[in-house]
Amino acid sequence: MNPNHVTQPASPSKARQLRALLESPELEFILEAHNGISARIVEQAGFRGIWASGLAISAQFGVRDSNEASWTQVVDMLEFMSDVTTIPILLDGDTGYGNFNNMRRLVKKLEQRNVAGVCIEDKIFPKTNSFIDGERQPLADIDEFCGKIKAGKDSQTDPDFCIVARVEALIAGWDIHEALRRAEAYHAAGADAILIHSKLSRPDEVVAFAKEWDNRLPLVIVPTKYYSTPVEVFRAAGVSLVIWANHMIRASVDAMEQVSRHIKERESLIQIEDQIASVNRIFELQGADELSRAQERYLKHKRAPHAIVLAASRGRALRELTEDRPKVMLSIGGKPLLRRLVDEFKKQSINHITVVAGYKAEAINVANIQLRINADYDQTGELASLLCAADAFHDDMIIMYGDLLFRSYILHDLLEQDSEIVAVVDSSLNNPHTGHTQDLAYCTEADNRSIFQPPVLLQSVRDQPLPGDRNPSGRWIGMVRFRNQGRLWLDEALAELRRREDFVSLGMPELLNHLIERGHPVRVHYVHGHWLDVNALADIGRAHDFTRGIDQ
Ligand code: SPV
Ligand code: MG
């Protein structure tokens, strides 16, 4: 047989799994859960089934176990529980929430939510928990209850869906004969299993019932009151399934009471932090990993670039304004330059932002950035700073000077370009909003300011005009994007430039020129004004005006 054609058997349906638990010759156990997270915990603990307890679900809603929560609210909760688990859920369906007709609709809705079965008890709607005045609770008319079982069985579409008939005769103070009479009637009506309930602290009546019942149908028990009985006793009595019915809700209530009291009294989290589940554990239970994997798979094409911001210099020309902070922490229009830059990145969904700081790095307190430090900032240039962020290099990244202010569309439009390297060049050489940068850009074509401009390549970036009568086409604004192959060219260029003796004095223009000399195309993305950089005192006023324009 071709091994490639060996298929894994599909895992059995949840209803089939529940049926297998009920019908297996072994003693099986299921544990209560009351919401999505507790259901997940029960499955992860190794249980092969979940008891969706009426007591626990009503308790987690903060209401009584007296049908105060509507049945649709219960079913909504079951949907969450069912969606996050692979093991079967047996719903504690109280009395079926009404008559035979309500039971039909309940079964239909449970099957739609992949709930494996329902247990209904022979009491009257609205019911009360069996442990509250159980002996005073009237039992259902046997024929009426049998009709409900039949209606449920007739409306299920999956033959494995299970209906467990719960006999409350012992709870209500009747004897074992009444319990047996009812169990037999429910059996005849089509029930898949009988749950015999007892509120005694010893298992005697349950064991006596089991003996008489003699496995005519699988037998289910709930040893909440006779909890000290060793399970061997149940095994010997031929019980099929034990329901640990309320222990997750009780455990969580106890934990929540202790923690809330502690935090209230101490006004501190220090003692408590290690005693409770970590936030990461919560993420784990929510399946955060699966979402990350799905994002990798489905959002790949949208993966946002990383950003690297060069922000190591003091900005000496700004004099005392930068005495206690680097230039990027100057407040312009009420916000530090770097905060503005980070906001611009975030607007474009760029959340991985690495800032290379140097001068007064400790004064940088902008959230959502990763900081790298160029300790030699006053002896070195931009490329040395760039190398400090080499660990954050990415196959799609924007490198930018930290003192830039620009309108959002500039970065947005840069992200629309799909070349390997794209440099943003401002063609408005006389732009009054432009600072004194001398990064003059010589390009293969001037900006014709039309959308039909053929591709333009950068030829060089200079801080002085070239001799002769050739005019620069604009200024490189200090923003460049490297993608895919472009990132590899960047790595290679940096490795080569590093070997130069004057490496420590090199800046970004030398890097661009080196790439061009190596024959790598650096595409030009033209803009026309709408940006400035802050280099000198005179720029500050302009920067304030500029931000007034964009903050409105
Ligand atoms: C429940 O868990 O809601 C039950 C079992 O019905 S008991 O509370 O023991 O009646
Ligand atoms: Mg109940």
Side-chain angles (χ1 to χ4, degrees):
M1 190 164 54
N2 180 345
N4 292 329
H5 289 156
V6 176
T7 48
Q8 292 291 328
S11 57
S13 72
K14 288 183 176 178
R16 172 68 57 88
Q17 291 179 49
L18 178 60
R19 183 166 291 283
L21 287 181
L22 286 169
E23 293 178 358
S24 99
E26 306 296 322
L27 179 63
E28 306 282 357
F29 303 88
I30 64 177
L31 178 61
E32 169 262 312
H34 48 270
N35 56 18
I37 203 165
S38 59
R40 210 156 194 178
I41 291 170
V42 168
E43 175 164 9
Q44 289 187 3
F47 281 91
R48 294 167 58 202
I50 292 168
W51 171 244
S53 153
L55 171 66
I57 291 176
S58 55
Q60 63 80 44
F61 280 131
V63 299
R64 288 162 288 220
D65 186 13
S66 307
N67 297 118
E68 289 185 345
S70 73
W71 73 272
T72 54
Q73 287 170 324
V74 172
V75 170
D76 282 347
M77 181 58 86
L78 283 169
E79 182 169 338
F80 282 102
M81 295 167 64
S82 178
D83 284 351
V84 297
T85 49
T86 64
I87 55 175
I89 298 174
L90 174 61
L91 169 65
D92 169 8
D94 295 343
T95 58
Y97 312 115
N99 69 5
F100 79 94
N101 192 35
N102 303 90
M103 178 68 178
R104 294 197 299 184
R105 189 160 171 79
L106 175 65
V107 169
K108 179 170 167 181
K109 293 294 146 187
L110 293 180
E111 283 199 310
Q112 285 171 355
R113 283 158 183 77
N114 204 6
V115 175
V118 61
C119 172
I120 51 169
E121 60 198 58
D122 53 358
K123 292 200 303 217
I124 310 286
F125 179 89
K127 45 77 58 155
T128 300
N129 187 275
S130 303
F131 300 135
I132 301 176
D133 292 340
E135 60 287 346
R136 282 207 244 145
Q137 295 186 29
L139 295 185
D141 172 78
I142 293 185
D143 290 340
E144 195 267 341
F145 194 70
C146 287
K148 216 182 266 186
I149 295 169
K150 278 194 193 117
K153 290 308 293 178
D154 286 348
S155 50
Q156 72 187 56
T157 56
D158 178 348
D160 286 321
F161 184 87
C162 297
I163 296 184
V164 178
R166 166 164 157 181
V167 176
E168 289 282 297
L170 303 178
I171 296 273
W174 296 79
D175 66 10
I176 192 170
H177 301 292
E178 175 67 10
L180 286 163
R181 188 169 78 91
R182 285 176 170 266
E184 194 42 70
Y186 306 158
H187 180 193
D192 298 288
I194 296 295
L195 188 156
I196 182 70
H197 205 12
S198 163
K199 60 179 192 276
L200 299 186
S201 57
R202 295 181 43 80
D204 303 13
E205 57 185 10
V206 162
V207 169
F209 179 93
K211 188 155 182 270
E212 293 296 326
W213 182 247
D214 197 23
N215 267 323
R216 277 173 267 173
L217 271 183
L219 192 62
V220 182
I221 60 168
V222 184
T224 300
K225 293 287 179 186
Y226 47 100
Y227 62 87
S228 61
T229 310
V231 296
E232 280 316 321
V233 174
F234 308 142
R235 212 168 256 127
V239 170
S240 290
L241 185 69
V242 169
I243 298 175
W244 309 121
N246 45 42
H247 303 84
M248 297 295 275
I249 190 83
R250 286 164 60 195
S252 60
V253 164
D254 191 49
M256 288 190 283
E257 282 179 345
Q258 284 188 37
V259 167
S260 57
R261 240 184 269 127
H262 183 104
I263 296 175
K264 179 74 179 76
E265 277 162 21
R266 309 274 175 98
E267 295 186 339
S268 161
L269 303 175
I270 291 174
Q271 306 284 335
I272 228 71
E273 184 58 31
D274 295 337
Q275 316 283 325
I276 58 181
S278 68
V279 174
N280 279 340
R281 173 68 184 137
I282 305 296
F283 293 155
E284 214 174 273
L285 284 164
Q286 290 172 310
D289 274 10
E290 191 280 333
L291 180 56
S292 307
R293 285 194 301 277
Q295 274 164 344
E296 277 294 305
R297 188 172 161 85
Y298 301 119
L299 287 181
K300 214 172 217 150
H301 58 292
K302 281 200 177 163
R303 205 165 48 182
H306 288 195
I308 297 195
V309 178
L310 301 177
S313 72
R314 165 172 177 178
R316 213 170 271 289
L318 293 161
R319 315 235 182 116
E320 66 277 2
L321 288 181
T322 56
E323 206 155 290
D324 61 347
R325 70 192 67 185
K327 179 163 67 170
V328 292
M329 288 308 290
L330 276 185
S331 177
I332 302 289
K335 264 197 228 176
L337 273 171
L338 185 59
R339 178 72 252 169
R340 289 181 172 279
L341 203 53
V342 168
D343 290 350
E344 290 299 339
F345 284 131
K346 294 192 78 66
K347 268 190 223 167
Q348 307 303 333
S349 305
I350 298 178
N351 292 307
H352 196 289
I353 304 164
T354 304
V355 175
V356 184
Y359 175 74
K360 300 275 180 207
E362 66 284 358
I364 292 186
N365 66 344
V366 171
N368 301 318
I369 59 169
Q370 320 229 20
L371 215 50
R372 299 287 179 277
I373 307 292
N374 176 5
D376 290 331
Y377 64 90
D378 56 351
Q379 321 287 332
T380 60
E382 292 152 8
L383 295 193
S385 288
L386 183 59
L387 272 187
C388 296
D391 66 315
F393 283 9
H394 188 249
D395 56 11
D396 188 357
M397 64 176 171
I398 309 275
I399 300 178
M400 200 183 286
Y401 289 154
D403 58 2
L404 286 191
L405 285 166
F406 51 87
R407 287 205 174 246
S408 306
Y409 78 86
I410 292 184
L411 181 56
H412 175 270
D413 291 355
L414 174 61
L415 295 173
E416 297 290 299
Q417 312 299 313
D418 55 7
S419 302
E420 310 296 307
I421 308 177
V422 186
V424 181
V425 170
D426 179 11
S427 62
S428 64
L429 284 162
N430 300 319
N431 175 13
H433 267 326
T434 307
H436 72 236
T437 175
Q438 287 302 314
D439 291 336
L440 300 172
Y442 287 85
C443 309
T444 51
E445 301 279 343
D447 183 8
N448 71 11
R449 303 200 61 194
S450 86
I451 52 170
F452 302 111
Q453 176 129 30
V456 178
L457 294 180
L458 187 64
Q459 293 175 306
S460 68
V461 178
R462 333 220 133 244
D463 60 1
Q464 296 296 327
L466 283 171
D469 54 7
R470 181 150 183 229
N471 283 328
S473 318
R475 287 189 173 118
W476 176 57
I477 75 168
M479 193 186 291
V480 56
R481 181 180 182 192
F482 294 88
R483 289 178 70 233
N484 304 334
Q485 184 64 36
R487 184 253 157 109
L488 301 177
W489 293 333
L490 169 73
D491 287 343
E492 206 176 81
L494 280 173
E496 287 166 3
L497 289 171
R498 254 183 116 164
R499 291 199 282 274
R500 269 170 54 171
E501 271 180 11
D502 59 350
F503 177 72
V504 295
S505 69
L506 300 181
M508 287 299 292
E510 283 82 10
L511 173 67
L512 292 172
N513 291 335
H514 184 81
L515 286 159
I516 295 163
E517 280 158 26
R518 281 268 167 257
H520 303 313
V522 176
R523 275 285 287 277
V524 169
H525 175 63
Y526 275 127
V527 295
H528 201 76
H530 293 160
W531 72 284
L532 59 76
D533 54 3
V534 180
N535 283 304
L537 286 172
D539 296 332
I540 302 276
R542 281 204 288 267
H544 278 284
D545 291 348
F546 184 84
T547 56
R548 250 196 299 281
I550 53 180
D551 288 348
Q552 277 160 8

